[in-house]
Every structure is written in structure tokens, then in C-alpha cells.
């Protein structure tokens, strides 16, 4: 899968950017990141997630003419953001690694502050949060719901916002990329590694151009990775729901029995049909949940790839480890 063991850091900071439909925004992002003055040097890792536009050509052009160490990782097909970030982490060689999107909603100027805050406070991970998110209302609502669920399913501090703009130490990244499952959820993997987690408020800008690449289907798929990969709590909830439904059924049986013994003919069809439909719905939900667990286990056992790297291109400064 192209994963490499992380050796001694070569740079002070690596910046990993998954690229998808980012041909217009990536040049401006790379230009701004290249101007950062990082003591010890920094590198940029662009991961092309089989973008349908000409993002790959743009990234390769930036690699060849940029003076800052730059690596382009080209994936063989579209694997999704978290898989693409895993591919970038596997290639990053910084003592700290910042992950960020390619849409310029996170100002590149905040990268330096995020890195300094993480290093100076000795955190393994620092997540950013925003005073006001510049996303659509439905997506903000979905993010709040996902973070609320993560409070129960992941071993994370309550109220911590899980942002894709985060800074992690090389130690944390090394342990995260050791996971080879096909459905990575990076925040869940981070929570399994460390509890030295900080948070920093940063600015969030409106999207410079176009619209989010996250469709409802992709958000649901990402939610399922968080919901199912790190806890058996959904199964336990289903078991408790089964006990509750059984108790309600017992109560209903007693009521019907009392009505029958008292000479009143129980009203049948509507109540029976309502009970059947309710129980059938609960059973189908639980069967689907168990099936999802089994399906993911089946694909993991059959070694479905987390990502496949078609090729990697580094510019001379990246090859030399930042040495002139």
C-alpha cells in the first residue's frame, strides 16, 4: 500500500493536504504555505485523491517549480479524504504534521500559530475550532451531531471539536499509520494513541470557489466509519432496545389478557399491525447494523486496500531533506 515506517524527522513541520477538485485553490494554498518561515524547515505533501479535474497536473507543476520541499502522492483511484490523509501521513517526515483541506477555508497564516502552540505546550495533538463555521447549515448540523456521537463512542474529551485542520506529533502519526484497515477514521485512531490533546481557536473563511466535495452520501459513509469502527456500543444499544421492546410487549400482553378475562374482546387489527411494523422495523435496523459490522470485517479480512499509491514525485529539496 505504499506505507513507509517513519524514521527520524527530517523537517520541523510537514503539511499534508488531500487534493480533490482543487486545481484552482491549490496553487494559492501552496504559494502561501511556501512563504512560511519555519525554523528547521518544512515540507508540503499533496495527495491527489484521483481528482477528476487537472489537479494532478497542477500539483506536479507546483512540485517542479517550487523552492520549498514538496511531495506529490498520486493515488490510483478515489479512496476518500481520510484514506488520502493516511497516505500523506505515511510520506510525511516532519517532527509535527499539520493536516488541512485544499479549499482555503483555513487561512495558511494560521499554520505557523497552530504549530507553535502544539510544540510549546507539549501536546501530541491540537484540534482547531471556529467561532463561526462558514459551511452550509445542514452540514454544520451534521457536524454537531457527529461530534455529539463521538463524545460517547470515542475516548475523547467532551466538547472537543474534531476538525480536519489539526496538528499532530510524529509519534502520534507513526502510531496512526500503523493501522491498515480499509475504513480509517483518523480522529478515532488518534484517540486510541494519546490523551495529550489541546484545542486552539482559528479563523474559518468562506469557501473561495466552488462547493464542498462532501456529498450527503460521503458524510454518511464517514459517520459510519466513526460509528462502527471504534466501539460495540451500537450493538449494546440494540440489545437494550430489544429488552425495552420485550418489556413493552409483556405489558401489552398482560393488558390484552386482562381485557379477555373480563369479557371484553380485545381490539385487534390496528394494534397488532402497529406492533408488527414496529418490531419488524427494529429487527431490520439491527440486522442492518450487524450486517454492516460483518461486511466491514469481511472486507478487512480480505485485505481491501486502505489506499494504493500509483506514483510519488518529490522535488530536489524534498529529496535532499531540505538541504540546499
Amino acid at each position: 500500500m505504499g506505507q513507509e515506517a517513519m524514521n527520524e524527522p527530517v523537517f520541523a513541520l510537514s503539511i499534508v493536504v488531500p487534493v480533490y477538485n482543487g486545481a484552482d485553490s491549490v496553487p494559492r494554498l501552496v504559494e502561501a504555505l511556501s512563504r512560511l518561515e519555519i525554523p528547521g524547515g518544512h515540507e508540503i505533501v499533496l495527495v491527489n485523491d484521483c481528482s477528476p479535474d487537472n489537479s494532478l497536473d497542477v500539483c506536479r507543476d507546483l512540485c517542479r517549480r517550487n523552492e520549498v520541499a514538496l511531495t506529490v502522492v498520486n493515488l490510483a483511484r478515489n479512496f476518500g479524504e481520510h484514506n488520502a490523509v493516511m497516505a500523506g501521513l505515511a510520506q510525511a517526515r516532519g517532527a509535527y504534521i499539520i493536516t488541512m483541506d485544499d479549499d482555503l477555508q483555513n487561512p495558511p497564516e494560521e499554520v505557523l500559530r497552530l504549530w507553535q502552540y502544539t510544540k510549546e505546550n507539549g501536546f501530541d495533538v491540537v484540534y482547531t475550532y471556529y467561532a463561526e463555521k462558514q459551511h452550509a447549515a445542514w452540514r454544520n448540523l451534521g457536524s454537531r451531531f457527529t461530534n455529539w456521537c463521538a463524545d460517547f463512542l470515542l475516548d475523547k474529551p467532551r466538547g472537543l471539536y474534531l476538525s480536519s485542520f489539526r496538528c499532530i506529533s510524529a509519534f502520534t502519526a507513526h502510531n496512526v499509520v500503523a493501522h491498515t484497515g480499509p475504513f480509517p477514521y483518523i480522529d478515532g485512531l488518534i484517540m486510541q494513541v494519546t490523551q495529550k490533546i489541546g484545542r486552539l481557536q482559528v479563523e474559518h473563511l468562506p469557501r473561495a470557489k466552488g462547493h464542498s466535495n462532501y456529498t450527503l452520501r460521503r458524510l454518511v459513509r464517514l459517520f459510519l466509519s466513526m460509528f462502527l469502527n471504534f466501539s460495540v456500543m451500537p450493538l449494546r444499544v440494540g440489545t437494550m432496545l430489544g429488552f425495552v421492546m420485550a418489556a413493552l410487549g409483556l405489558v401489552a400482553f398482560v393488558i390484552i389478557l386482562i381485557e379477555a378475562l373480563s369479557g371484553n374482546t380485545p381490539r385487534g387489527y390496528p394494534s397488532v399491525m402497529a406492533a408488527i411494523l414496529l418490531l419488524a422495523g427494529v429487527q431490520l435496523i439491527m440486522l442492518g447494523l450487524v450486517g454492516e459490522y460483518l461486511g466491514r470485517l469481511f472486507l478487512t479480512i480480505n485485505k481491501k486496500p486502505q489506499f494504493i499509491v500509483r506514483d510519488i514525485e518529490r522535488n530536489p529539496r524534498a529529496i535532499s531533506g531540505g538541504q540546499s
Side-chain angles (χ1 to χ4, degrees), residues 162-182:
L162 300 179
S163 166
S164 59
F165 186 34
R166 57 175 95 79
C167 182
I168 64 179
S169 66
F171 163 80
T172 306
H174 173 72
N175 284 278
V176 166
V177 299
H179 174 78
T180 58

Side-chain angles (χ1 to χ4, degrees), residues 30-268:
V30 169
E31 181 183 359
L33 295 176
S34 300
R35 291 197 300 264
L36 296 176
E37 295 183 4
I38 306 292
H42 68 293
E43 68 168 345
I44 303 169
V45 180
L46 303 177
V47 184
N48 175 53
D49 194 17
C50 201
S51 181
D53 64 358
N54 64 329
S55 291
L56 178 59
D57 294 333
V58 171
C59 291
R60 283 176 171 168
D61 181 62
L62 290 169
C63 180
R64 291 162 188 165
R65 61 183 175 84
N66 205 279
E67 295 183 359
V68 170
L70 200 152
T71 299
V72 177
V73 181
N74 181 32
L75 301 186
R77 67 173 181 83
N78 179 256
F79 287 90
E81 180 185 358
H82 283 239
N83 300 61
V85 171
M86 291 288 281
L89 292 178
Q91 300 298 327
R93 297 171 292 166
Y96 287 90
I97 304 167
I98 286 179
T99 64
M100 63 188 305
D101 296 333
D102 63 354
D103 55 13
L104 294 171
Q105 289 195 269
N106 297 122
E109 296 77 16
E110 299 278 22
V111 166
L112 180 60
R113 190 165 71 94
L114 176 57
W115 169 66
Q116 289 174 334
Y117 181 80
T118 307
K119 184 177 66 169
E120 291 170 0
N121 290 278
F123 289 117
D124 283 329
V125 184
V126 171
Y127 282 94
T128 60
Y129 67 99
Y130 318 112
E132 182 179 358
K133 288 185 66 178
Q134 301 294 330
H135 284 152
W138 69 271
R139 187 172 171 187
N140 289 337
L141 182 62
S143 294
R144 284 195 291 269
F145 176 71
T146 300
N147 274 271
W148 179 79
C149 290
D151 284 341
F152 298 96
L153 298 173
L154 305 181
D155 187 20
K156 86 175 182 71
R158 289 295 177 91
L160 178 71
Y161 177 71
L162 300 179
S163 166
S164 59
F165 186 34
R166 57 175 95 79
C167 182
I168 64 179
S169 66
F171 163 80
T172 306
H174 173 72
N175 284 278
V176 166
V177 299
H179 174 78
T180 58
F183 306 103
Y185 184 71
I186 291 173
D187 301 311
L189 296 172
I190 288 174
M191 300 303 157
Q192 290 183 338
V193 174
T194 181
Q195 292 184 326
K196 295 176 64 177
I197 302 172
R199 59 200 299 263
L200 178 69
Q201 182 173 327
V202 297
E203 188 179 3
H204 197 237
L205 302 177
R207 193 177 182 90
K209 188 176 181 180
H211 54 82
S212 173
N213 293 314
Y214 267 111
T215 62
L216 181 59
R217 178 183 176 184
R218 289 180 176 177
L219 288 172
V220 169
R221 186 169 60 186
L222 180 61
F223 173 77
L224 287 176
S225 292
M226 181 274 293
F227 191 65
L228 300 175
N229 286 13
F230 300 95
S231 176
V232 295
M233 187 178 292
L235 293 177
R236 291 173 181 166
V237 170
T239 301
M240 293 304 298
L241 184 59
F243 278 116
V244 171
M245 297 303 297
L248 291 175
L250 180 61
V251 171
F253 172 77
V254 171
I255 293 174
I256 292 173
L257 182 61
I258 292 173
E259 289 181 346
L261 293 175
S262 64
N264 297 323
T265 302
R267 296 177 181 177

